[in-house]
Amino acid sequence: MAAAALTREGGEDAFRRLFRFYRQRDASDLRGVVDFSAPGGQVFRSQLSISSVSDQDAYRAGLQPVSQWKAYGLSGYPGFIFIPNPFLPGCQRHWVKQCLKLYPEKPNVCNLDLHMAPEKTTDLWGQSKEQLRRKGSNKWKPRSLLEKLRWVTLGYHYNWDTKKYSANHHTPFPSDLAFLSEQVAAACGFRGFQAQAGILNYYHFDSSLGIHVDESELDHSRPLLSFSFGQSSIFLLGGLKREEAPTAMFMHSGDIMVMSGFSRLLYHAVPRVLPNPEGTVLPSCLDQPLPSDLPVGSVMEHSSDEDWQVCAKYLQSSRINMTVRQVLAEGQKFPEESGTNGKGQAPSEDNYHENSKAKRLKPNTI
């Protein structure tokens, strides 16, 4: 198989070679990509902590009862859990809308802040919705601001100068996303998980995420949670060194990954975004709206048909990923720092996302 043969070549490290292979637009040999909708081989069933999450709390978070979830692990990757779409019908729409309409709002930080005046980035949704709604197949039309969005950070904001988080660069973490994350973490055996920092990635068909390790959190004993919505992607999970060949797997809309223990500090990357495998413009799991009778205390919010039209148009060529992590252990504090204001901003957006014209891959830290 072409992908397997690449890992045995000399020169570049094995992770880089496979990244380049799947990055190619004409890479049609995807037989080696793990598909959790048809588990087998190195995939095995994982046990969940069903009693840790009540059905009511699962419903409030927009999730099926944990007893109905399917969870899988991968041989050779202890601490890695893959949960194929456990969301209730219509509930993915809430998170898509939050990622496009609410979470990019100030005081949260986004890539556009690097090269635009603050007043220009205060209402990305309002400035983009009509342009997106009218968007056709003409690729030469100017992109809306939402289509130029590449990342948003939540809670503790990563300082790209010091490669650390700090106490004085923090904004309130969204309560709905915190509640969702707490339920998923508890179901995976991590009761007491605190959602303290997050990054939202916005991908298009020419986007990728470079090879990196998430190691800047002070507490590595807590898991990293990853939620995907929209178009599909290939995710590469490697080892502690880049010389170890990674395993490729598909991520589809609604899928959740949990990385803990040994898998918490492994190299990983997203080399490619793919159209959803159903062959439709949007995955069928996004067809249904939120039910009218949401449970008491639900963190879900109904949205207008007009708002969903904007979201749906965006997702026709895009994927959104939410990653959530706990930065500090219970009772832990940040070490005293000197000579920094804690507000270091991120590098240029191409240092986070690799576009189709990128000449070389730059590793990332988050």
Side-chain angles (χ1 to χ4, degrees), residues 193-258:
F193 174 84
Q194 299 178 49
Q196 297 175 335
I199 187 162
L200 316 177
N201 283 326
Y202 302 81
Y203 298 87
H204 307 299
F205 282 135
D206 62 347
S207 301
S208 65
L209 179 64
I211 306 167
H212 67 286
V213 177
D214 295 290
E215 60 184 356
S216 296
E217 296 73 33
L218 274 67
D219 180 18
H220 293 153
S221 68
R222 310 303 272 173
L224 184 147
L225 312 179
S226 172
F227 305 84
S228 290
F229 306 105
Q231 301 299 326
S232 300
S233 70
I234 294 176
F235 179 78
L236 298 179
L237 181 60
L240 295 171
K241 299 179 180 180
R242 287 178 49 153
E243 287 72 23
E244 300 177 49
T247 296
M249 61 196 79
F250 289 114
M251 290 193 71
H252 304 305
S253 192
D255 290 349
I256 300 174
M257 290 194 313
V258 179

Side-chain angles (χ1 to χ4, degrees), residues 45 71 167 225 270 328:
R45 287 294 295 266
L225 312 179
V270 177
L328 300 168

Side-chain angles (χ1 to χ4, degrees), residues 55-66:
D55 290 356
Q56 181 182 12
D57 282 344
Y59 288 141
R60 289 176 58 204
L63 299 165
Q64 301 173 30
V66 178

Side-chain angles (χ1 to χ4, degrees), residues 5 7 19 24 49 67 75 78 90 123 141 158 196 235 243 245 251 270 301 306 323:
T7 65
F19 184 97
Q24 298 169 17
S49 182
S67 59
S75 298
D123 186 15
K141 286 188 177 181
Y158 186 74
Q196 297 175 335
F235 179 78
E243 287 72 23
M251 290 193 71
V270 177
E301 295 179 352
E306 291 76 16
T323 60

Side-chain angles (χ1 to χ4, degrees), residues 349-362:
E349 63 186 63
D350 281 347
N351 197 29
Y352 198 87
H353 283 266
E354 300 291 331
N355 61 31
S356 57
K357 297 180 180 179
K359 298 300 183 183
R360 62 191 179 93
L361 181 68
K362 301 177 183 178

Side-chain angles (χ1 to χ4, degrees), residues 100 110-113 115-116 121 124 128 131-132 141-152 202-204 207 314 318 349-350 353:
L100 291 175
C110 73
N111 64 292
L112 298 179
D113 297 326
H115 48 79
M116 294 180 68
T121 62
L124 302 182
S128 305
Q131 189 176 349
L132 268 172
K141 286 188 177 181
R143 292 182 300 164
S144 64
L145 287 178
L146 275 180
E147 292 172 292
K148 295 178 181 179
L149 196 62
R150 290 295 177 267
W151 51 260
V152 170
Y202 302 81
Y203 298 87
H204 307 299
S207 301
Y314 176 90
S318 304
E349 63 186 63
D350 281 347
H353 283 266

Side-chain angles (χ1 to χ4, degrees), residues 78-352:
F80 175 80
I81 301 174
F82 192 101
I83 306 169
N85 183 16
F87 289 93
L88 290 166
C91 290
Q92 288 187 52
R93 288 190 175 192
H94 169 84
W95 303 108
V96 171
K97 185 194 70 172
Q98 297 296 79
C99 288
L100 291 175
K101 186 175 183 178
L102 181 64
Y103 296 160
E105 290 294 287
K106 297 294 170 281
N108 297 329
V109 182
C110 73
N111 64 292
L112 298 179
D113 297 326
L114 302 178
H115 48 79
M116 294 180 68
E119 62 271 17
K120 298 291 187 180
T121 62
T122 55
D123 186 15
L124 302 182
W125 176 269
Q127 296 184 70
S128 305
K129 60 182 182 179
E130 290 305 321
Q131 189 176 349
L132 268 172
R133 191 177 287 126
R134 297 193 305 267
K135 182 178 175 65
S137 58
N138 189 343
K139 297 181 180 180
W140 302 109
K141 286 188 177 181
R143 292 182 300 164
S144 64
L145 287 178
L146 275 180
E147 292 172 292
K148 295 178 181 179
L149 196 62
R150 290 295 177 267
W151 51 260
V152 170
T153 51
L154 310 170
Y156 287 113
H157 300 281
Y158 186 74
N159 186 312
W160 298 87
D161 296 331
T162 63
K163 294 182 170 55
K164 297 178 181 178
Y165 298 95
S166 64
N168 58 349
H169 194 201
H170 174 268
T171 57
F173 195 92
S175 59
D176 56 349
L177 181 54
F179 186 75
L180 169 69
S181 302
E182 290 161 6
Q183 308 319 305
V184 172
C188 294
F190 296 95
R191 299 188 72 167
F193 174 84
Q194 299 178 49
Q196 297 175 335
I199 187 162
L200 316 177
N201 283 326
Y202 302 81
Y203 298 87
H204 307 299
F205 282 135
D206 62 347
S207 301
S208 65
L209 179 64
I211 306 167
H212 67 286
V213 177
D214 295 290
E215 60 184 356
S216 296
E217 296 73 33
L218 274 67
D219 180 18
H220 293 153
S221 68
R222 310 303 272 173
L224 184 147
L225 312 179
S226 172
F227 305 84
S228 290
F229 306 105
Q231 301 299 326
S232 300
S233 70
I234 294 176
F235 179 78
L236 298 179
L237 181 60
L240 295 171
K241 299 179 180 180
R242 287 178 49 153
E243 287 72 23
E244 300 177 49
T247 296
M249 61 196 79
F250 289 114
M251 290 193 71
H252 304 305
S253 192
D255 290 349
I256 300 174
M257 290 194 313
V258 179
M259 298 167 66
S260 67
F262 173 79
S263 294
R264 177 64 176 77
L265 296 175
L266 299 182
Y267 280 101
H268 53 278
V270 177
R272 189 174 173 188
V273 177
L274 300 165
N276 97 83
E278 298 169 319
T280 52
V281 175
L282 289 181
S284 58
C285 58
L286 294 171
D287 286 345
Q288 293 177 263
L290 273 171
S292 57
D293 55 339
L294 293 173
V296 176
S298 173
V299 300
M300 303 288 104
E301 295 179 352
H302 288 104
S303 60
S304 65
D305 290 340
E306 291 76 16
D307 278 359
W308 178 245
Q309 288 174 12
V310 175
C311 294
K313 187 69 75 167
Y314 176 90
L315 288 183
Q316 286 182 8
S317 59
S318 304
R319 167 185 178 254
I320 298 173
N321 179 255
M322 309 187 302
T323 60
V324 179
R325 67 285 311 275
Q326 180 171 332
V327 177
L328 300 168
E330 186 71 32
Q332 188 178 22
K333 295 182 179 180
F334 289 102
E336 292 293 330
E337 296 182 26
S338 60
T340 175
N341 62 6
K343 293 187 178 182
Q345 296 297 303
S348 66
E349 63 186 63
D350 281 347
N351 197 29
Y352 198 87

